[in-house]
Each structure stands twice: as structure tokens, then as C-alpha cells.
Amino acid sequence: MTVIEVKNLRKRYGSTVAVRDVSFTVERGEIFGILGPNGAGKTTTVECIAGLRTPDAGSVTVLGRSPHDHELRRLVGVQLQESQLPEKMSVREALELYSAFYPDPVDWRALARELGLGEKLGTRYAKLSGGQKQRLSIALALIGDPEVAVLDELTTGLDPQARRDTWGLIEQIRDRGVTILLVTHFMEEAERLCDRLAVIDAGAVAALDTPTGLIAGLETEQRLRFRPSKPLDDGLLTSLPEVLRVKHHGGQLEVVGTGNLLHAVTSVLATNQIIAAELRVEQATLDDAFVRLTGHSEETRPTTPTAAADPNEGLS
Ligand code: ADP
């Protein structure tokens, strides 16, 4: 079942076209990623989905409704970047306040425990670590017991361990049956978490596929390096259709090729009773796909603490 449908979305800010033409659908139970360089139009797209901005053209439906439908406030949990809670507000106060926004909130104490904030209820927002602030912002996005969670740049500014912990949490949320729309510019995050991805560049969808599909679509060269256990005739390898070239680096061989290169080369080696010591495989990554699609390398934003947006506050 389709949970989010975006069709030919367009949004301008004055003379800046932030979103030119974006279409995609998100199915129930998916973790769907929106990936793209800074300024690509990702946040504007999710703000239109969250009902915080009104598109100039195209259409957006969430659970079959207009994003401005009041019912959706309850069904969609939104965590947007660059929104902050008052410094002096405690975790308990924030959870109580947000609970009051919803007709049928989850038990916030249980949610806080589940997100590892059970011991932090009395702590003021300003005193939380980056990871704890993120956990709180996730808690606030989930407090209304939503069917859909929209998470924007969730792990920006977190250290690698806190980022990995957050990935675990996102998977737990999906396992509870929540459909997740995730904006990210971290390739590793997209590759690890997302079932499907839309790569957005300059306000349009440059590609839409599974992470593996995006990488496979590249047909880039792969590289194997190994030390053969005995000398080997290059011709054995260069005669393989998968092999483009073979180079020697001292006793080490470098084999460049395409397709199922690893299988082709190791089969020939096995037939000739050669062992490949120190075998290393360098394959294309989502990062390569991203660079190919957008012409940009992965960029990092300035780090900003994030918290859940006040669901009662619209932008435009
Ligand atoms: P992303 O999330 O991919 O970084 P955004 O949707 O934030 O992209 O921005 C897309 C483009 O729209 C950028 O050029 C950005 O500078 C511009 N933009 C975003 N928000 C506003 C705004 N409120 N007013 C004017 N321009 C904006």
C-alpha cells in the first residue's frame, strides 16, 4: 500500500527554484531515503510532505490525504532539522508538552525508556549530549503514535557510535510498523538503512532504486589485488571476458574488470591450484553512484542540534 505519493512537485522561494520536478512513492513499512547534495531540495520536499509548506505545483498525498489534513498531525511524526527546544526545558517537560498535542499519545515514560532517556527525565535540554538530543527529537516525533515518521538529517553532528545507535533505533521503529521517510547525506547511512532511495539533485530526481540497484547500475570497474601462491601466466586472466587489464606490483597482481570479476578470477586460480593470498576487492559504493549521478562528492553540513518541530507551527 502506498503511504506517501509525490507527483511532479515544484516549489520556489522568490526566484530560487528549490524543487523543480520531484516524484516518488513510499510504500507501507519501508525506510525510504532521500539523498542529495546540499541545496538539492530535500528539506523543501519533506516540508511539503509534512504539510509545513505548500507546493507551487504538483501533488502530495500522505495516507491518501492532503498534507494539510488535520488528521495527519496525529498520523505523521515529524522530526526536522534546525528546530530547537528551549534550553531550560527538561526532558520530562518536553515529553509532557508534546504528549498534550495529540489525542492519543503513547506512554511517554515507556518511550523515553525505550530510547535510552529513562535516566534523563530531569535533565535540561541544554545539558543533553548530541546523541541524547537526537533521541529526544525521535521520541517527540513518535509520541503521537504515528503511522509515518519523517526524519530529516537525523544523524548530522553525531559521532560514529551515536550514529550507529540511532540506526538501530530507526530499525526498531520500522519493526513497530512505522513507515519512515529519511533525509540524509550520509552514503553509509543510506546504504545500511534504506530499502529504496531517491537521489535528488538540483530539485529533480536523478535516480530512484534500492541502494544495491543504484550501485549495480553503475557498471563501474572493480579491482582485485592479491599475491598468487605461484607465478601465473597473465593470459589465463586476460582471456576472461570480465578482465580488462592485469598489472604487476612486485609479487602482487592487480586485476581490473567488470561483472562478476571476483568469481571469474578465483575460478581460474582454483583450476590452476593457485591460492590468492592477501586478496582485496575494491567495489563500487553508493558514494560512487552518488558522485556519478550528481557530480558532487559527499558534503558535510555545518552541524546543528535538532529537535522535533512543533507540530502546531507551520512555515509557509
Ligand atoms: P536541501 O535540504 O537539499 O539542502 P533545501 O530544500 O533546504 O535543500 O533548499 C533548496 C534550495 O532552496 C536551496 O538553494 C536553498 O538555498 C533554497 N531555500 C531553502 N529554503 C529557503 C527559504 N526559506 N527561502 C529562500 N530560499 C530557500
Side-chain angles (χ1 to χ4, degrees):
M1 182 202 153
T2 299
V3 169
I4 300 174
E5 185 170 46
V6 178
K7 265 197 215 156
N8 305 114
L9 181 70
R10 187 176 167 85
K11 176 75 184 172
R12 274 192 301 126
Y13 302 107
S15 59
T16 308
V17 179
V19 177
R20 196 157 41 87
D21 184 10
V22 166
S23 303
F24 59 84
T25 57
V26 179
E27 305 301 320
R28 185 175 290 282
E30 270 192 312
I31 301 182
F32 186 92
I34 297 185
L35 186 69
N38 284 343
K42 304 183 295 295
T43 295
T44 305
T45 301
V46 294
E47 285 173 350
C48 290
I49 293 168
L52 298 169
R53 293 195 188 276
T54 308
D56 297 326
S59 66
V60 178
T61 57
V62 181
L63 297 163
R65 302 161 193 262
S66 147
H68 294 291
D69 187 324
H70 214 74
E71 268 293 285
L72 282 184
R73 293 245 162 114
R74 192 171 60 75
L75 301 171
V76 181
V78 182
Q79 181 270 346
L80 294 170
Q81 52 178 119
E82 289 176 28
S83 41
Q84 251 185 306
L85 290 170
E87 302 255 298
K88 290 188 175 164
M89 186 177 268
S90 71
V91 170
R92 178 186 291 105
E93 285 166 345
L95 292 165
E96 280 177 344
L97 174 69
Y98 273 66
S99 283
F101 291 147
Y102 298 97
D104 204 8
V106 295
D107 173 355
W108 61 258
R109 286 176 193 279
L111 185 64
R113 272 198 303 275
E114 205 177 310
L115 291 174
L117 291 169
E119 307 292 305
K120 295 283 163 196
L121 294 179
T123 307
R124 292 180 174 188
Y125 183 71
K127 298 277 183 214
L128 297 175
S129 70
Q132 288 160 350
K133 284 179 179 165
Q134 296 292 39
R135 284 161 186 272
L136 178 58
S137 77
I138 297 173
L140 298 180
L142 296 178
I143 213 157
D145 197 16
E147 289 186 25
V148 183
V150 178
L151 309 171
D152 192 358
E153 299 282 358
L154 190 64
T155 62
T156 297
L158 295 190
D159 62 52
Q161 184 57 49
R163 180 173 302 147
R164 279 184 175 72
D165 293 346
T166 308
W167 294 346
L169 285 177
I170 294 173
E171 282 167 339
Q172 273 177 36
I173 297 164
R174 190 255 301 273
D175 294 345
R176 283 162 48 162
V178 179
T179 303
I180 296 170
L181 179 66
L182 181 78
V183 176
T184 183
H185 65 275
F186 290 114
M187 303 304 144
E188 200 192 345
E189 180 163 299
E191 202 164 342
R192 156 82 201 274
L193 277 183
C194 298
D195 298 305
R196 290 188 308 135
L197 286 169
V199 178
I200 297 191
D201 189 32
V205 176
L208 202 161
D209 206 336
T210 60
T212 333
L214 285 173
I215 296 163
L218 283 177
E219 288 190 7
T220 50
E221 294 179 359
Q222 302 162 45
R223 203 175 298 270
L224 302 183
R225 287 172 196 271
F226 59 91
R227 195 174 288 280
S229 56
K230 58 183 188 194
L232 127 107
D233 176 6
D234 284 2
L236 284 175
L237 298 173
T238 50
S239 61
L240 293 169
E242 289 86 357
V243 172
L244 296 171
R245 51 188 185 274
V246 176
K247 274 193 201 164
H248 293 259
H249 303 279
Q252 229 194 25
L253 271 188
E254 180 187 292
V255 184
V256 177
T258 55
N260 202 344
L261 181 69
L262 178 63
H263 177 74
V265 170
T266 49
S267 301
V268 164
L269 295 178
T271 312
N272 290 278
Q273 291 166 344
I274 297 171
I275 294 164
E278 300 162 32
L279 176 66
R280 292 218 328 258
V281 187
E282 290 167 23
Q283 272 176 321
T285 62
L286 192 57
D287 208 5
D288 297 322
F290 182 80
V291 172
R292 181 74 65 87
L293 288 162
T294 67
H296 303 267
S297 55
E298 185 177 353
E299 290 166 287
T300 41
R301 278 175 183 276
T303 55
T304 42
T306 66
D310 178 343
N312 290 334
E313 194 175 85
L315 296 176
S316 71

